[in-house]
Amino acid sequence: LPSGTKREILNGNEVVTIPPPNGDRAYYEKHLHPRLSLESVMTSQERIIFGKGTKSLNPMQSTVFEIAFKSRENMLVCAPTGAGKTNVALLTVLQHLRSIGILNNTKNISNSSTDDFDDIDDDGTYAAYAHIRKSDNSVENTNNCSTNNNTSTDGTKIVYMAPMKALAQEVCAKFSSALAPLNLSVREYTGDVKLSKAEAEQSDVLVTTPEKWDVTTRQSSTPGSLFASCGLLILDEVHLLADERGAVIESVVARTHRLVEGTQRNVRIVALSATLPNCGDVASFLRVDKRRGLFEFGPEYRPVPLKQRFVGVLAKDTKGMNKITDIPFGIDSMNNYNLSANTSKKDDRFTIEKKMNEACYNIVLESLMNGHQCMVFVHSRKGTGEAVRSLAEIAREKGELGKHFVPLDDHYNDVEEGKESIADKCAKSCIQARKRHQLSVSKSRNGELRESFDVGMGIHHAGMLRSDRKLSETLFASGAIRVLCCTATLAWGINLPAHTVIIKGTDVYS
């Protein structure tokens, strides 16, 4: 275990606390890449896709800026969750739009140094595909025109491949908002959306899933086909190569390489991933130049330090066995709990489950009392509703349901303005948000969702209707519910940050 780990046996539970890897954050901040101001490196037309609130790139994005924004290199970016990989994808999108003539920018290209790009030829081709040249009728010769008006659309389209339909929906919404000022069409291309061939061909950006794009790449790669129109392929969560769905991603990448070799036209591949133990092997498979296109970022680039706690629910009571083994460690600002049960075949499963629910409740209550939201991950769809009911039952027994889970106006009307704690402010905000969304929840046909909302919690899993999943996400994002019980569907990148995350149980049945 890392240095600074603390082991405790408290209240019948064995607790192992792993501190954030970046204990001395001030040290890392001094050694990170300085932030790049968007105004100094981009035109106003390019800056607009990042929104008015973004004035600079964070250290991770600033590190990859030269390759992502000024070249057509294949890239593999491995960085922790929340480090800003989506904005790296937007940087590559801007470069692609410049290369096909939609954006006309000479501010950075003319002023950039070429010392770091010795292997890049005058036309921008890099070492991995150095033998490939653009043909005379290349779309690069077209200036200031939309892809829909080009005589040839081959190599003009951007394809963003997300691992799940739920994530594809979110990415589509984000890219649509970001690229709307450029009058670019972003469409979702998944099994949930009926998209005709003409609509798919007319779109500038397609957000799809591995299985859907796999079918498309199997059909045809002839000029004018949807596959041949791809000029930038962005692979999100590429660490899924190790998953059972990894073969689908491998097939898509292999066909893309074959398309490049067969048509002698460059298709840029940009892969985004969490930290990989064998990033060099993955980079070789993606034909990434390891000297320039491979970027691996450690936990110091995580915007919020992460502390992990493993809570083992013991089968037998351990009264009088409160022990603490200390190794000095840093301070955290975000918690990740993993609840597991140390059981044998003779143990009473119901007793263990009850203890685990109580341990989960104590962590949730601590988070709510500090004014934070909490996510509870379970391993089955049915388990989401069961987790809500167990937490609500314990809260009722202790008389804390109306105070922390479903805040009431009467309790906070007596609190003087200016003397409110963080928890009081969060509770008042929750009350207002619940009033705004009360009508939307009452119209839902999902009984469990309505019941969960009544006790100040929510559920989220792949078995729910798309509209109900979206409603649960909206309720949590607005603060109308402060506890969300969900399955792994929510963990694939849907942007719902929470201060405390609980993984309830480690037994998975297959």
Side-chain angles (χ1 to χ4, degrees):
L1 293 174
S3 175
T5 299
K6 181 168 67 175
R7 180 177 176 271
E8 308 172 76
I9 299 180
L10 295 171
N11 302 322
N13 300 325
E14 181 178 4
V15 182
V16 177
T17 303
I18 301 178
N22 49 332
D24 189 359
R25 191 163 184 83
Y27 170 82
Y28 286 111
E29 289 179 349
K30 291 180 181 178
H31 293 78
L32 298 179
H33 193 289
R35 288 175 172 268
L36 294 178
S37 170
L38 292 181
E39 188 175 357
S40 63
V41 296
M42 293 184 187
T43 64
S44 58
Q45 187 184 25
E46 294 167 334
R47 293 196 304 270
I48 197 172
I49 76 168
F50 292 97
K52 295 181 180 179
T54 305
K55 303 299 182 182
S56 64
L57 300 174
N58 67 23
M60 187 276 284
Q61 297 158 359
S62 301
T63 302
V64 306
F65 178 80
E66 290 291 325
I67 301 299
F69 189 72
K70 298 182 181 180
S71 77
R72 293 205 300 273
E73 290 241 24
N74 283 2
M75 294 179 64
L76 172 59
V77 180
C78 305
T81 301
K85 295 189 289 291
T86 303
N87 278 356
V88 173
L90 286 176
L91 288 174
T92 63
V93 167
L94 285 175
Q95 193 284 329
H96 178 76
L97 296 178
R98 262 203 332 267
S99 71
I100 63 175
I102 289 182
L103 294 179
N104 188 13
N105 175 24
T106 58
K107 180 174 182 178
N108 298 290
I109 301 301
S110 60
N111 295 332
S112 62
S113 172
T114 57
D115 294 341
D116 297 332
F117 304 97
D118 295 335
D119 293 345
I120 300 180
D121 296 333
D122 294 336
D123 66 347
T125 305
Y126 53 94
Y129 299 123
H131 58 289
I132 296 174
R133 295 292 182 270
K134 287 283 187 178
S135 60
D136 293 335
N137 62 346
S138 169
V139 292
E140 263 192 1
N141 296 328
T142 308
N143 291 320
N144 298 323
C145 62
S146 172
T147 56
N148 297 334
N149 298 325
N150 290 336
T151 55
S152 174
T153 60
D154 290 353
T156 61
K157 200 177 300 298
I158 300 168
V159 177
Y160 191 109
M161 200 165 74
M164 299 183 71
K165 289 183 286 187
L167 180 57
Q169 178 187 358
E170 182 186 343
V171 172
C172 185
K174 182 171 184 176
F175 272 52
S176 296
S177 175
L179 299 177
L182 302 179
N183 295 322
L184 296 179
S185 172
V186 181
R187 301 298 298 268
E188 182 182 345
Y189 190 55
T190 65
D192 281 354
V193 178
K194 293 182 179 180
L195 205 63
S196 67
K197 182 179 179 181
E199 290 174 328
E201 291 174 347
Q202 291 172 4
S203 61
D204 299 293
V205 182
L206 286 178
V207 183
T208 184
T209 56
E211 289 76 13
K212 185 68 174 180
W213 193 243
D214 177 51
V215 173
T216 303
T217 58
R218 288 174 183 269
Q219 292 174 349
S220 175
S221 61
T222 57
S225 64
L226 190 58
F227 181 29
S229 68
C230 176
L232 171 62
L233 177 62
I234 302 175
L235 307 175
D236 199 2
E237 310 289 354
V238 78
H239 53 267
L240 285 177
L241 279 168
D243 191 68
E244 59 183 7
R245 302 167 65 198
V248 180
I249 302 176
E250 288 183 12
S251 300
V252 169
V253 173
R255 293 192 194 100
T256 303
H257 290 328
R258 187 180 64 182
L259 175 68
V260 171
E261 297 293 343
T263 61
Q264 297 293 288
R265 177 180 53 78
N266 180 19
V267 178
R268 186 183 192 185
I269 299 177
V270 176
L272 310 174
S273 169
T275 305
L276 289 170
N278 60 334
C279 57
D281 296 334
V282 177
S284 299
F285 170 66
L286 297 173
R287 298 190 183 180
V288 173
D289 190 324
K290 298 179 184 178
R291 295 175 300 165
R292 296 191 305 270
L294 174 59
F295 297 91
E296 187 176 15
F297 300 95
E300 64 272 15
Y301 285 86
R302 189 182 186 96
V304 180
L306 177 69
K307 179 172 73 176
Q308 301 178 71
R309 289 183 182 177
F310 295 84
V311 182
V313 179
L314 301 179
K316 298 180 180 179
D317 290 334
T318 54
K319 295 181 180 179
M321 291 182 60
N322 292 350
K323 298 180 180 179
I324 301 177
T325 304
D326 284 322
I327 304 175
F329 68 96
I331 300 175
D332 78 302
S333 56
M334 184 174 182
N335 299 318
N336 183 23
Y337 294 84
N338 192 324
L339 298 177
S340 62
N342 299 330
T343 63
S344 64
K345 293 182 179 179
K346 296 181 180 180
D347 293 326
D348 187 346
R349 295 282 178 178
F350 294 101
T351 301
I352 292 296
E353 184 66 24
K354 183 178 179 180
K355 287 185 175 182
M356 189 176 294
N357 289 335
E358 291 175 351
C360 179
Y361 176 81
N362 291 333
I363 298 169
V364 170
L365 182 63
E366 180 185 356
S367 178
L368 296 182
M369 291 177 67
N370 290 327
H372 302 305
Q373 289 180 293
C374 180
M375 286 185 181
V376 180
F377 282 91
V378 295
H379 299 295
S380 67
R381 300 175 183 180
K382 182 180 178 181
T384 57
E386 293 176 348
V388 168
R389 286 188 287 273
S390 64
L391 291 174
E393 183 180 352
I394 297 174
R396 287 193 187 97
E397 291 176 356
K398 297 186 176 183
E400 295 170 337
L401 184 64
K403 183 177 180 181
H404 299 293
F405 291 83
V406 191
L408 302 176
D409 284 319
D410 297 340
H411 178 76
Y412 294 96
N413 287 338
D414 298 333
V415 180
E416 295 182 17
E417 191 172 350
K419 296 184 179 181
E420 302 167 327
S421 64
I422 296 178
D424 292 337
K425 292 180 180 179
C426 292
K428 284 188 174 183
S429 175
C430 177
I431 293 171
Q432 295 172 359
R434 289 179 64 83
K435 290 179 180 178
R436 291 196 307 268
H437 295 287
Q438 183 71 51
L439 181 60
S440 300
V441 175
S442 63
K443 292 180 178 180
S444 173
R445 296 182 180 179
N446 191 316
E448 277 194 325
L449 189 150
R450 297 194 303 271
E451 293 172 5
S452 300
F453 181 80
D454 291 339
V455 293
M457 290 178 272
I459 60 172
H460 188 288
H461 57 76
M464 298 169 62
L465 293 175
R466 185 170 183 168
S467 57
D468 289 333
R469 291 201 308 266
K470 185 65 177 177
L471 177 59
S472 292
E473 295 164 14
T474 302
L475 293 174
F476 191 76
S478 65
I481 56 175
R482 304 172 69 188
V483 180
L484 184 62
C485 298
C486 48
T487 59
T489 303
L490 203 67
W492 289 111
I494 295 179
N495 190 24
L496 286 179
H499 179 275
T500 303
V501 176
I502 301 172
I503 303 172
K504 185 172 178 285
T506 54
D507 293 334
V508 181
Y509 299 93
S510 60

